Amino acid sequence: MTEIPEHLLKRAQAAREKAAGEAAQPAAEADSPAEADSRIPAHLLERSKAARTKAAGDEPESGGGVAVADKVAAAVATPAAGGGVPVGAGPGGHTQRLLTVVKSGSIQEVKAQPVDKVHTWPHLLAAEFVASLACLVFTFLFSIWVNAPLLQLANNNQTPNPSKAPWYFLGLQELLTMFHPMVAGVTIPGVGIILLIFAPYIDKNPSNKPEDRKFATSLMTVHLMFWAVLVMIGSFFRGPGFNFTLPWRDGLFFEL
Amino acid sequence: MAKIIDETPRPTAKERLQQTVDSVQGSQVWASIFRPGSIFRKGYTDSPRNRSYVIMNSVLYHLHPVKVKRHAVKVSYTLCLGGLSFFLFILLTVTGIFLMFFYRPEATAAWDDISNLQTSVTFGLLVRNMHRWGAHLMVLTVFLHMARVFYHGAYKPPREFNWVIGVILLTLTLLLSFTGYLLPWDQLALWAVAVGTNMMGYTPVFASSSSSWRSTSGASARTAASADRCDRRLTE
């Protein structure tokens, strides 16, 4: 359940109070709805009132939506007197009535949907700062207790057995045991990287929901697992001559 | 046999060029690279709106806008992986500059310098350890960050090109970490890089240059590549 931001809560509270205040004095409003409706300028109201009085002659006007509805009811109830202009006719002899109310959202595209947002400072930056401190502490302590390896001086005439690439390339080295170097070292990783780069242009599915993207998710999982498993095998299950070993039987052949 | 006469005039070279330009500028790839406000975007006008977009869509502002969505702030959503990748990059730069003071990238001097650094430089061993473990950690965080972004579908429009840059930075991270592996010039460095460069030797274009890396030193390639690292911020 997401939290509702404070300013929205405040706004809703204010609206509720206003509605309650209006409900308390509905009688006063009903008497003079035109005056209450402040959106229509006073001089326009005066003008329309004058025009209506002039057109309808004797009938006193009160104006506004409620009055129009009353008039329509009156016009329907009373048969057209004199055959010409109905009793409740407006300026110029036209009868006006409310056909329907179209809410703004149905015909206009409302682009600015309210989004629940918080300030980057401090909400995000504080978390990032703590995370980086934790990372620094971890690296620092790990570096105090574990030393980086420094083997003997490089010697071109003495090949260690096994020779292993850095761990993140051990998946590729593992592929080398199965395929020609051209395929293992160039084609497969090349195709993998190119597919990865073009993923946003290949994946046309607009949805972000996990249930809508089962295919994309499973494909990526297979891809990531492919490399992860190969790296694991290359790191821990390959011994002298890059032959298969079991780490718990023959020990580790792995340097970071 | 009736002869079909096409009344419409053949498009001139200029019109065809215009059509090609329009189709390129209307493509998804183009629109994802040149964000709203870019002068290269289709139908660009010099309006206050577009001028504002240039700043509002700039990368720095995009990474840390004034406000962010509440759900995106949760640590469980991002796991801070992008920020940690960037922080590790900073850490590697700082420790790397420290190490540069005590290191000569020559086959005759490199190993002695490292050995000297570890034994007789104050905090030398500690800083070297941090540099090395930080580098390994960074490969891990960048990889995990990529997985996280994919699983959240964060590469979808309008952020397609962010993803492309991210994949390029992942590749750069791997390559820079790989070249860094060479620097101590010990048995581990030499033979690990030998395995890697032999593999790269089969690459059609880079074959000749990659094999020459080993005979010289990775250091020169590293300094050139380190300039590219400034872009790492984009991985987030």
Side-chain angles (χ1 to χ4, degrees):
Chain A
M1 192 71 189
T2 51
E3 244 180 275
I4 302 166
E6 285 166 32
H7 69 280
L8 290 183
L9 281 175
K10 264 186 209 162
R11 206 184 291 170
Q13 180 63 29
R16 242 178 277 133
E17 278 166 12
K18 197 182 162 197
E22 280 176 4
Q25 36 172 328
E29 300 245 341
D31 288 343
S32 54
E35 280 80 358
D37 195 357
S38 60
R39 273 185 222 169
I40 305 168
H43 69 279
L44 288 181
L45 280 175
E46 287 299 319
R47 199 193 292 170
S48 70
K49 204 184 240 179
R52 255 174 289 163
T53 333
K54 197 178 158 195
D58 52 354
E59 197 178 331
E61 291 291 333
S62 57
V66 182
V68 169
D70 287 343
K71 261 189 296 175
V72 169
V76 170
T78 45
V85 183
V87 178
H94 299 294
T95 307
Q96 294 156 352
R97 59 169 148 166
L98 191 65
L99 290 177
T100 182
V101 175
V102 182
K103 286 186 179 167
S104 66
S106 58
I107 48 170
Q108 291 172 319
E109 197 191 349
V110 182
K111 280 193 174 171
Q113 294 286 348
V115 184
D116 189 10
K117 285 187 170 183
V118 291
H119 277 99
T120 302
W121 169 256
H123 292 90
L124 179 58
L125 288 184
E128 281 180 341
F129 182 65
V130 171
S132 57
L133 274 189
C135 179
L136 182 64
V137 167
F138 173 78
T139 320
F140 189 76
L141 293 180
F142 196 82
S143 302
I144 288 176
W145 285 318
V146 187
N147 281 339
L150 183 65
L151 307 188
Q152 287 157 355
L153 179 64
N155 184 353
N156 270 311
N157 300 317
Q158 190 195 346
T159 311
N161 190 10
S163 303
K164 286 190 178 184
W167 63 270
Y168 35 83
F169 285 146
L170 281 180
L172 290 178
Q173 201 176 348
E174 184 63 27
L175 280 180
L176 271 179
T177 62
M178 306 175 217
F179 300 104
H180 183 265
M182 180 72 194
V183 177
V186 180
T187 314
I188 293 178
V191 168
I193 286 192
I194 286 173
L195 280 183
L196 213 54
I197 284 183
F198 285 102
Y201 305 106
I202 299 167
D203 180 9
K204 298 281 185 190
N205 179 3
S207 174
N208 270 343
K209 292 182 184 138
E211 60 265 29
D212 295 341
R213 358 183 1 238
K214 281 180 183 151
F215 180 70
T217 311
S218 21
L219 200 63
M220 188 62 169
T221 309
V222 167
H223 183 217
L224 295 181
M225 283 304 112
F226 173 76
W227 290 112
V229 167
L230 284 182
V231 166
M232 296 273 184
I233 294 177
S235 303
F236 305 126
F237 295 90
R238 290 289 175 182
F242 217 66
N243 292 315
F244 192 84
T245 60
L246 296 170
W248 50 87
R249 193 188 62 200
D250 306 321
L252 271 182
F253 299 90
F254 181 60
E255 293 263 19
L256 271 174
Chain B
M1 215 173 111
K3 198 178 176 185
I4 300 168
I5 300 169
D6 192 2
E7 290 294 330
T8 54
R10 288 169 61 90
T12 61
K14 198 180 172 187
E15 283 169 345
R16 278 193 205 168
L17 182 69
Q18 191 56 46
Q19 276 176 3
T20 319
V21 168
D22 280 351
S23 66
V24 168
Q25 289 200 328
S27 67
Q28 190 195 1
V29 176
W30 189 276
S32 69
I33 296 174
F34 299 104
R35 303 301 309 139
S38 165
I39 54 169
F40 301 110
R41 217 170 150 80
K42 194 179 181 183
Y44 172 79
T45 52
D46 187 13
S47 60
R49 186 188 177 86
N50 273 335
R51 288 183 178 193
S52 311
Y53 275 151
V54 172
I55 300 302
M56 285 179 347
N57 289 332
S58 84
V59 172
L60 290 177
Y61 189 80
H62 165 82
L63 293 176
H64 273 164
V66 175
K67 283 181 153 191
V68 285
K69 287 178 189 160
R70 191 183 287 272
H71 76 92
V73 174
K74 277 191 189 162
V75 174
S76 59
Y77 185 72
T78 61
L79 302 172
C80 289
L81 286 169
L84 285 184
S85 304
F86 178 63
F87 173 73
L88 283 169
F89 168 64
I90 300 282
L91 184 72
L92 288 174
T93 310
V94 172
T95 53
I97 287 173
F98 176 87
L99 294 175
M100 274 170 69
F101 284 107
F102 307 100
Y103 177 80
R104 283 166 292 169
E106 298 160 15
T108 50
W111 192 90
D112 290 329
D113 282 348
I114 300 274
S115 175
N116 193 42
L117 172 87
Q118 295 198 157
T119 50
S120 51
V121 175
T122 314
F123 294 125
L125 178 61
L126 177 72
V127 175
R128 176 169 180 243
N129 288 346
M130 286 181 75
H131 193 74
R132 187 155 190 126
W133 301 135
H136 285 311
L137 199 58
M138 183 171 168
V139 173
L140 204 62
T141 54
V142 170
F143 174 80
L144 291 177
H145 181 56
M146 183 198 68
R148 197 282 295 175
V149 167
F150 188 92
Y151 285 129
H152 278 152
Y155 58 86
K156 299 202 166 186
R159 299 202 197 107
E160 304 103 307
F161 198 62
N162 292 30
W163 169 267
V164 175
I165 292 170
V167 175
I168 293 170
L169 287 175
L170 169 72
T171 321
L172 270 180
T173 308
L174 289 177
L175 288 178
L176 285 173
S177 182
F178 181 64
T179 54
Y181 222 78
L182 178 72
L183 296 181
W185 204 243
D186 60 349
Q187 279 289 75
L188 181 63
L190 175 65
W191 293 99
V193 173
V195 171
T197 46
N198 283 343
M199 236 185 293
M200 281 185 219
Y202 287 90
T203 318
V205 181
F206 303 105
S208 55
S209 60
S210 67
S211 58
S212 66
W213 277 11
R214 194 149 50 100
S215 54
T216 59
S217 159
S220 56
R222 264 174 86 75
T223 46
S226 63
D228 301 329
R229 285 215 208 175
C230 302
D231 296 335
R232 172 110 351 112
R233 191 75 176 110
L234 291 167
T235 36
E236 275 190 65

